[in-house]
Amino acid sequence: MKIKEIRVIVASPGRNFVTVKIITDEGLYGIGDATVNGREKAVVAYLEDHVAPCLIGRDPMQIEDIWQYLYRGAYWRRGPITMAAISGVDMALWDIKAKAANMPLYQLLGGASRGRIMCYAHAQGRTIAEVVEAVQEKREQGFAAIRAQAGVPGFESIYGIRKDKKKLTTLAKALPVEEVWSTSEYLRHIPKVFEKLRDVVGWNTHLLHDAHHRLTPIEAARLGKELEPFRLFWLEDAVPAELPEGYRLVRQHTTTPIALGEIFNTIWDARQLIEEQLIDYIRTTSVHAGGVTGLRRIFDFASIYHVRTACHGPTDVSPVTMGTNLHIDLWVPNFGIQEYSGYREATHEMFPHAWSWKGGYLHPGEAIGHGVDIDEAVAEKYPYKRAYLPVNRLEDGTLWHW
Ligand code: EZ4
Ligand code: CO
């Protein structure tokens, strides 16, 4: 079998997705996700100009060799753009291999270790009352685990929460929205949110929170400590992780479990955090951390340090990544949880998929391959639109972490 053609499809059924389609001379094809939110076209150029020409004519069964060829062979290793391109190719090749083997991907990985995959939903609101309502709504839908994000009084927009129409105009111009942030106000407010949530929902629902890289280690340590009475499932991305040893301080001060790694691209980004047992959940996901090949390596490594998996699964990773993650989730022995933000109708339409969601649980389905396809005619209806994530500033104007 030989790789005959590689198509890179960019479409925006509500948000931009970059999809790789690898077609073989035997008619089998595979699909991969290569989306980097806000920098999509860089991956498209990387794939079209630099990757595809090298792969035509190669044997698609040689997944490991192709992975190493694209990783070591580029000389310039790692980084989100390179790794998204490798991930997209890798997912498509595993899809082809599983189709050739006439098996769902999870069978090739070693078979199912569980019957269903626990996932968590997002709930958010500007006021505590709104957050409570949003969490209750997710509970009614059957979610056993819910990430709660709250606005901070006096601040217009906080991560994931936006209210005014003005912001939508800025979004329409497709430039980054600017938000304003105060760590001290946030730290005072968040424990009150979880105190109220525990009062209302009791102890049978897992509650999670994402600090989105905005704290210093000592601030994260204090937040973790103050949240201990409310028994969070985890505190996510408390501190930027370029300095992994910063997490030692967090760890020394709190028993609130720590989750990290949605923006990591390789095992090297996660190595020290895992080895020193500074985190409890590793959040790498197939589109950003090297596809099935990269993710499997990270997760096996994590398993010997008591670190469990928690694949990133926001709306900006495509249903192809979701499907791929679900096959890994079903197999991986040290599974923790899967993030699931859901998708718009147009996204489901563009990516027909065998995976399914019911209440708080997901399953990859029994289709051969990873079970996710792309409808190229539907993709044509939704052309790419430039779009960015917001940026974040302190009240004095200093650029901060979003
Ligand atoms: O903000 O994927 O846990 N989930 C998250 C996400 C990220 C987006 C950025 O593109 O933090 O919602
Ligand atoms: Co996050």
Side-chain angles (χ1 to χ4, degrees):
M1 201 188 298
K2 283 187 165 42
I3 295 173
K4 194 176 84 183
E5 188 189 343
I6 299 183
R7 272 184 220 157
V8 182
I9 301 148
V10 195
S12 185
R15 66 187 320 147
N16 294 315
F17 294 116
V18 178
T19 309
V20 184
K21 182 170 184 174
I22 300 185
I23 304 163
T24 68
D25 58 350
E26 294 182 16
L28 273 186
Y29 66 88
I31 302 292
D33 180 20
T35 307
V36 175
N37 196 6
R39 296 292 186 272
E40 298 85 0
K41 291 283 189 95
V43 193
V44 174
Y46 195 102
L47 282 164
E48 286 181 344
D49 297 345
H50 305 296
V51 171
C54 304
L55 300 187
I56 303 300
R58 281 178 195 274
D59 177 359
M61 292 293 132
Q62 307 272 23
I63 300 177
E64 188 66 52
D65 184 67
I66 289 176
W67 199 98
Q68 300 296 342
Y69 181 88
L70 295 175
Y71 182 82
R72 297 183 179 172
Y75 187 67
W76 310 103
R77 298 180 188 199
R78 307 162 67 184
I81 306 303
T82 298
M83 294 311 294
I86 294 178
S87 302
V89 168
D90 186 84
M91 268 182 240
L93 295 179
W94 277 99
D95 192 21
I96 291 170
K97 194 184 270 295
K99 283 175 178 169
N102 202 29
M103 285 179 189
L105 174 57
Y106 75 82
Q107 293 291 8
L108 275 191
L109 294 171
S113 300
R114 55 197 53 80
R116 57 183 190 170
I117 293 157
M118 178 167 72
C119 62
Y120 69 92
H122 292 186
Q124 58 203 36
R126 273 181 297 129
T127 62
I128 294 182
E130 278 179 26
V131 184
V132 168
E133 197 184 314
V135 167
Q136 293 290 43
E137 202 178 294
K138 295 297 173 186
R139 288 177 80 215
E140 280 154 26
Q141 290 170 19
F143 284 98
I146 300 163
R147 186 192 82 165
Q149 304 297 123
V152 174
F155 289 82
E156 272 204 354
S157 48
I158 294 298
Y159 163 68
I161 295 144
R162 211 167 277 139
K163 62 166 184 188
D164 57 329
K165 299 225 166 68
K166 204 174 78 209
K167 293 269 161 22
L168 295 175
T169 322
T170 323
L171 280 176
K173 279 191 220 141
L175 292 174
V177 168
E178 300 222 346
E179 298 181 347
V180 182
W181 172 253
S182 160
T183 300
S184 55
E185 293 301 315
Y186 165 83
L187 287 178
R188 281 196 313 136
H189 188 62
I190 290 300
K192 292 184 213 156
V193 175
F194 283 92
E195 183 176 19
K196 183 67 184 177
L197 279 173
R198 276 298 176 218
D199 270 357
V200 178
V201 309
W203 299 92
N204 289 336
T205 299
H206 295 304
L207 294 177
L208 298 73
H209 181 66
D210 190 347
H212 234 240
H213 303 113
R214 291 171 182 205
L215 309 177
T216 64
I218 200 68
E219 289 163 352
R222 183 207 289 175
L223 181 60
K225 209 166 177 175
E226 289 184 1
L227 290 173
E228 278 171 24
F230 315 119
R231 299 285 169 100
L232 262 58
F233 187 90
W234 77 39
L235 175 60
E236 172 182 339
D237 288 348
V239 182
E242 288 97 329
L243 183 75
E245 51 268 50
Y247 271 85
R248 290 179 189 151
L249 194 63
V250 184
R251 204 55 157 169
Q252 283 155 11
H253 287 284
T254 182
T255 55
T256 294
I258 303 294
L260 199 68
E262 67 183 41
I263 65 170
F264 289 178
N265 307 125
T266 68
I267 195 165
W268 304 104
D269 299 328
R271 183 193 59 81
Q272 186 179 356
L273 291 157
I274 292 173
E275 234 169 39
E276 289 192 32
Q277 300 176 49
L278 298 176
I279 59 173
D280 300 280
Y281 294 92
I282 179 70
R283 306 217 57 240
T284 42
T285 198
S286 48
V287 58
H288 298 136
V292 175
T293 302
L295 211 52
R296 187 175 61 169
R297 201 154 282 147
I298 296 170
F299 288 175
D300 270 341
F301 177 65
S303 75
I304 61 178
Y305 294 98
H306 308 289
V307 175
R308 287 186 283 173
T309 71
C311 291
H312 192 211
T315 51
D316 51 277
V317 306
S318 91
V320 182
T321 288
M322 185 56 62
T324 305
N325 286 347
L326 292 174
H327 284 273
I328 296 171
D329 292 338
L330 199 69
W331 152 74
V332 74
N334 48 323
F335 174 73
I337 199 166
Q338 168 68 53
E339 182 179 24
Y340 182 65
S341 318
Y343 294 102
R344 294 174 187 215
E345 216 23 71
T347 304
H348 287 295
E349 187 199 359
M350 188 173 129
F351 294 101
H353 54 80
W355 60 260
S356 59
W357 164 76
K358 192 161 174 257
Y361 297 89
L362 291 152
H363 194 281
E366 298 296 336
I368 63 164
H370 58 45
V372 190
D373 208 340
I374 184 166
D375 186 326
E376 291 176 75
V378 174
E380 271 181 33
K381 293 197 301 188
Y382 301 111
Y384 166 82
K385 286 197 199 96
R386 183 159 50 95
Y388 293 98
L389 287 165
V391 297
N392 198 25
R393 292 185 188 275
L394 301 181
E395 290 164 282
D396 70 358
T398 306
L399 198 88
W400 201 239
H401 316 282
W402 178 72

